[in-house]
Amino acid sequence: FASSDPARGSVGAALGYPGGGPLTIVPAAVTGEYRATGRDIYDEARVDRDILELRAQIDRGDSGGPLILQDGTIGGLVFAEARSDPEVGYALTPTSVAVRIAPAIGRREVVATGDCLR
């Protein structure tokens, strides 16, 4: 992961599997960084997220794919497409994702996957 959040104008590529198809790589540029409030994936709770707005053709199926910056670091984790503009998508910032996964790095214990929520 990038050690800091990419600035407006940072360029790279977004990788994903739109529509469940083959790997697709599209050019991407950071157009802004925001604190966004929205609903969780189950539409049950409010969540705050640090996000990047991307100029990139993000489609369904790209969620979870990386935004790779020119230096090869992960500059974000794609999670949504814009509803109003097919050339805009959104990614979680690399620093916010790194903080959440840091406790799991290097762990080797077996853990239960838990029940499916839906």
Side-chain angles (χ1 to χ4, degrees):
F1 285 94
S3 59
S4 62
D5 295 338
R8 177 180 167 88
S10 297
V11 296
L15 285 65
Y17 296 87
L23 173 64
T24 301
I25 302 168
V26 297
V30 175
T31 57
E33 181 177 355
Y34 309 98
R35 181 82 170 161
T37 300
R39 305 293 293 173
D40 67 13
I41 64 170
Y42 304 108
D43 198 27
E44 295 173 352
R46 274 180 64 168
V47 293
D48 293 319
R49 298 178 179 101
D50 293 322
I51 67 167
L52 302 171
E53 182 179 87
L54 306 175
R55 174 60 66 185
Q57 187 174 347
I58 303 299
D59 295 307
R60 285 182 187 234
D62 289 334
S63 295
L67 165 66
I68 305 295
L69 300 175
Q70 283 183 313
D71 66 1
T73 61
I74 298 172
L77 188 66
V78 174
F79 76 93
E81 63 180 325
R83 292 183 178 187
S84 59
D85 187 336
E87 295 295 320
V88 174
Y90 303 97
L92 300 171
T93 63
T95 57
S96 66
V97 174
V99 165
R100 296 293 297 264
I101 67 169
I105 293 175
R107 296 185 74 177
R108 299 187 186 279
E109 299 88 25
V110 175
V111 297
T113 58
D115 294 329
C116 291
L117 297 175
R118 298 216 180 201

